[in-house]
Amino acid sequence: MCGIVGYIGNNDVKEILLKGLEKMEYRGYDSAGIGIRDDKDVKVFKEKGRIADLRKKVDMSFDSTIGIGHTRWATHGVPEVVNAHPHQSSDGRFTIVHNGVIENFEQIKNEYLGDIELVSSTDSEIFVELISTFANEGLTTEVAFNKALKTVHGSFAVGLLDEADAEIIYVAKNKSPLLLGKGEGFNVITSDAMAMLQVTNEFIELMDGEVVLLKKDNIVIKDSEGSPVERDSFYTEIDESDTEKGTYDHFMLKEINDQPGTMRNIIQEYQDAEGSLKIDPAIIKQLKDADRLYVIAAGTSYHAGLIGKEYFEKWAGVPTEVHVASEFVYNTPMLSEHPLFIFISQSGETADSRAVLVEIKKLGHPALTVTNVPGSTLSRESDQTLTLHAGPEIAVASTKAYTAQIAVLSILAQVAARELGRNTDFDLMQELAKVTTAITAIIDDAPKIEQIVDEYLSTTRNAFFIGRTMDYYVGLEGALKLKEISYIQAEGFAGGELKHGTIALIEENTPVFALATQEKVNLNIRGNAQEVEARGAKVCTISMDGLDQDGDTYVIPPVHEMLTPLVSVVVYQLISYYAALHRGNDVDKPRNLAKSVTVE
Ligand code: M6R
């Protein structure tokens, strides 16, 4: 979603801002802009579409050493140049970039902005006009900025330039993510560490309610009462080369191919010197103290949570519920006496999940976050974090994060089972090593999977994914993957549910993907496949070696029955990739979507 960058220092800022915005393209956006100072005033350049289009518009003829930039994912107002950021106050003095949503913008407009003529349809323009209005009443910029921050309700991360002062970027945040970056003779702001790795890997976290005066050789952080805050910086482990796609045509394909490596990282990170599974004892204590687990997540992470529930219940014997974050927050179910909340989030920034975290923290419940980004908001605000060790995931369609989430949840559940004295009769690390080999075999089979796409998905407008038990959950993920990048309407169903309504949608040649990796329900799912085939569906059966039958379209290598989602999903990831590719879609940046969904 929206992304912010800002720089103040000695070097020309244009390339730094544009490169930073390019690094955030993966998050999803529909317009972009930068505001940079020359020796007199702040000049704003904005464009709808890609950063490459913005580049063409930027006047490169003058140097500037202070500036702010923004990628916008439309919330208030259509994706047009006029609504792109930065926004300037009507007197031209203040220039703002803003992420988030100002909920009381209508009230602010009526109460404070009188007859100021607004040019855009954004809440962000109201924000900058409010600062300007307070400054025009005689307040200093810092006081006007603070007063405006206290007047607005909602989520925000902001960077503000004052034409009257070339030495400061004013910065603040509430709910929306924002980092400060430190350098020799310069400092930066960024929504995403990756965007500023080009100049620094040293960052400082910013907390809600804090206000920052960012100067080129000094960073002053103040809390909401105006008292100075001291905070240590940290060095990010992300290597800039991890954020490039190298020889792959798309990040998604690279990330699918990263999965065996990610599995190996996880196996290494979560075992001790003796080769036993290892999880921080404080996390295991949280789990042992809980009478019920509440897994909270969205999208693909929610689908990983469904698999995690199987592990927690079947291995560790702890009752587990899995909830979509955006529903849970407004329709909270009855909670047990000693709940433990487990947040699953690749980015660690998903606003829907964070809204739940804020609420359950008010109630005093413990929280664990399972994330790919250790310094993320969910990670910081939870009591404990488990890291995915998957490396940056750039493609909007989540692939390696899903398999990493499942692998880490399986390790957590196994350690909990061991500590709770429950006997599980297999070596998980050995089984995960087999999974790694199986994933590699499927990736090597990519040309065969591409042929499946030719045969089943070349012209269709819809597709169904069926399965039972864990295969049903993988079907949900397969359908999400296919729809988000190929735009084929795809739905996942429990095989047994078809007869209760969905089968009415089956027509001649409707593609149905049937997954058969679970012995207990192998015959049942095959029966469901026959039911749709009898009504004209074109069934693609994907089974596991050992449970396969003549005529199956693709057979995955054999792995432990509880770990099959880690392997079968790779077939669906590749199917989705090729389906999107064959339709000429932008695989990594599908329409309307954002990588990191930072608004509720
Ligand atoms: O960063 P998160 O895991 O919290 O994101 C949750 C969803 O937005 C995300 O998984 C989304 O569904 C993926 N783009 C699907 O591929």
Side-chain angles (χ1 to χ4, degrees):
M1 290 208 146
C2 303
I4 287 179
V5 286
Y7 174 97
I8 181 163
N10 296 319
N11 293 326
D12 184 38
V13 76
K14 294 188 289 293
E15 198 47 48
I16 296 171
L17 296 180
L18 289 168
K19 193 169 169 204
L21 295 179
E22 277 162 0
K23 283 284 176 192
M24 289 195 297
E25 285 194 290
Y26 81 97
R27 294 158 65 98
Y29 70 107
D30 38 54
S31 56
I34 61 172
I36 50 180
R37 262 194 92 93
D38 62 9
D39 41 13
K40 298 195 296 296
D41 53 13
V42 176
K43 304 223 169 339
V44 167
F45 304 94
K46 323 200 252 194
E47 188 53 293
K48 187 180 157 185
R50 297 292 178 212
I51 308 297
D53 304 314
L54 171 65
R55 247 180 204 289
K56 291 181 203 144
K57 265 197 144 172
V58 175
D59 178 356
M60 294 287 181
S61 68
F62 67 96
D63 276 356
S64 168
T65 56
I66 171 169
I68 49 182
H70 191 268
T71 48
R72 173 174 189 259
W73 189 85
T75 52
H76 286 75
V78 293
E80 280 301 340
V81 173
V82 70
N83 291 327
H85 296 220
H87 289 282
Q88 284 190 307
S89 54
S90 39
D91 58 7
R93 177 173 166 190
F94 294 101
T95 306
I96 201 170
V97 285
H98 164 230
N99 287 355
V101 177
I102 304 303
E103 285 153 12
N104 58 339
F105 74 99
E106 203 67 59
Q107 179 217 329
I108 290 177
K109 192 163 114 189
N110 298 334
E111 203 169 317
Y112 296 96
L113 303 190
D115 46 16
I116 291 175
E117 215 167 292
L118 299 168
V119 292
S120 77
S121 327
T122 67
D123 50 345
S124 311
E125 189 186 1
I126 282 162
F127 206 156
V128 73
E129 289 295 4
L130 185 64
I131 296 165
S132 167
T133 301
F134 290 152
N136 286 335
E137 287 169 2
L139 302 180
T140 64
T141 300
E142 185 181 345
V143 176
F145 185 47
N146 269 298
K147 189 170 171 188
L149 292 171
K150 292 201 165 83
T151 310
V152 299
H153 301 158
S155 56
F156 53 79
V158 284
L160 177 80
L161 297 180
D162 176 0
E163 194 181 274
D165 186 347
E167 306 294 321
I168 298 183
I169 303 178
Y170 296 86
V171 183
K173 87 167 212 75
N174 183 45
K175 298 189 193 168
S176 300
L178 196 62
L179 285 171
L180 310 172
K182 285 180 77 174
E184 279 295 311
F186 71 88
N187 288 305
V188 300
I189 55 171
T190 184
S191 303
D192 189 328
M194 277 193 264
M196 281 296 164
L197 281 179
Q198 51 168 324
V199 289
T200 185
N201 64 350
E202 186 179 3
F203 294 96
I204 301 175
E205 287 173 13
L206 189 58
M207 302 300 170
D208 285 355
E210 292 175 343
V211 174
V212 181
L213 309 185
L214 194 88
K215 305 179 183 180
K216 71 177 182 185
D217 37 28
N218 186 16
I219 298 177
V220 180
I221 307 176
K222 296 184 182 178
D223 67 16
S224 53
E225 305 305 317
S227 307
V229 174
E230 290 299 325
R231 181 161 308 125
D232 289 340
S233 59
F234 66 93
Y235 291 88
T236 173
E237 286 168 16
I238 307 169
D239 190 324
E240 212 191 344
S241 62
D242 290 347
T243 66
E244 310 285 341
K245 58 178 186 280
T247 54
Y248 293 97
D249 289 340
H250 298 97
F251 279 107
M252 184 181 177
L253 189 59
K254 171 184 180 286
E255 288 156 10
I256 292 172
N257 277 266
D258 280 348
Q259 290 176 111
T262 301
M263 284 298 132
R264 282 190 284 272
N265 285 348
I266 290 170
I267 292 171
Q268 198 180 330
E269 293 288 340
Y270 286 100
Q271 69 181 312
D272 62 19
E274 282 76 49
S276 300
L277 297 173
K278 161 189 91 173
I279 295 275
D280 180 348
I283 294 176
I284 297 301
K285 178 164 184 330
Q286 275 189 328
L287 232 137
K288 283 168 86 174
D289 290 347
D291 58 3
R292 184 169 282 263
L293 306 181
Y294 292 83
V295 175
I296 309 292
T300 288
S301 298
Y302 168 75
H303 295 156
L306 294 171
I307 308 288
K309 171 186 159 77
E310 300 294 312
Y311 301 152
F312 292 127
E313 294 197 333
K314 301 218 162 70
W315 292 343
V318 187
T320 304
E321 295 178 20
V322 190
H323 291 272
V324 168
S326 56
E327 281 299 302
F328 188 97
V329 72
Y330 297 111
N331 191 9
T332 308
M334 267 179 73
L335 298 179
S336 64
E337 256 180 68
H338 301 291
L340 168 62
F341 282 81
I342 301 183
F343 293 86
I344 307 179
S345 174
Q346 187 282 133
S347 62
E349 299 295 350
T350 298
D352 292 323
S353 298
R354 197 213 174 205
V356 179
L357 178 57
V358 169
E359 289 309 312
I360 64 110
K361 280 282 133 200
K362 281 187 203 150
L363 298 172
H365 297 311
L368 162 69
T369 288
V370 180
T371 183
N372 204 22
V373 187
S376 58
T377 306
L378 287 174
S379 162
R380 283 200 317 268
E381 296 180 0
S382 292
D383 306 292
Q384 309 286 347
T385 297
L386 280 178
T387 306
L388 298 179
H389 300 288
E393 190 181 70
I394 310 279
V396 165
S398 187
T399 52
K400 62 178 178 177
Y402 172 81
T403 43
Q405 285 161 346
I406 293 174
V408 170
L409 291 173
S410 75
I411 293 169
L412 176 62
Q414 274 282 315
V415 177
R418 185 180 75 197
E419 299 300 316
L420 287 162
R422 289 174 67 95
N423 189 21
T424 52
D425 54 356
F426 67 98
D427 179 339
L428 180 64
M429 285 314 193
Q430 252 177 36
E431 297 301 331
L432 286 176
K434 284 187 207 158
V435 161
T436 308
T437 312
I439 294 175
T440 309
I442 292 172
I443 291 169
D444 289 346
D445 250 357
K448 201 165 165 191
I449 294 172
E450 190 170 6
Q451 278 169 18
I452 296 179
V453 171
D454 282 338
E455 195 181 334
Y456 289 85
L457 296 174
S458 56
T459 54
T460 188
R461 286 173 55 82
N462 58 7
F464 296 99
F465 289 72
I466 61 171
R468 282 172 172 249
T469 67
M470 301 232 276
D471 288 340
Y472 160 42
Y473 301 146
V474 177
L476 294 177
E477 174 58 10
L480 174 61
K481 213 84 312 167
L482 185 66
K483 74 181 113 182
E484 74 174 325
I485 57 171
S486 75
Y487 317 143
I488 295 170
Q489 194 204 343
E491 306 302 337
F493 289 100
E497 269 297 287
L498 284 175
K499 298 189 273 299
H500 301 287
T502 313
I503 205 161
L505 296 173
I506 300 295
E507 294 173 350
E508 201 59 30
N509 285 330
T510 304
V512 175
F513 293 89
L515 192 55
T517 73
Q518 303 293 305
E519 189 172 7
K520 193 167 72 181
V521 289
N522 191 21
L523 296 181
N524 309 63
I525 190 65
R526 287 175 184 284
N528 299 139
Q530 277 163 14
E531 287 158 10
V532 287
E533 203 158 41
R535 286 157 180 86
K538 202 166 170 189
V539 177
C540 172
T541 304
I542 296 160
S543 59
M544 185 166 72
D545 194 352
L547 297 178
D548 56 312
Q549 294 184 1
D550 284 352
D552 287 354
T553 319
Y554 190 81
V555 180
I556 65 168
V559 292
H560 190 285
E561 200 174 47
M562 293 288 278
L563 301 177
T564 58
L566 291 166
V567 179
S568 56
V569 78
V570 180
V571 182
Y572 285 162
Q573 291 169 352
L574 285 166
I575 285 178
S576 306
Y577 173 76
Y578 287 115
L581 193 69
H582 292 188
R583 285 173 187 236
N585 297 351
D586 187 340
V587 174
D588 287 335
K589 294 193 270 304
R591 69 184 181 206
N592 303 339
L593 285 174
K595 177 68 178 165
S596 184
V597 185
T598 50
V599 293
E600 279 181 60

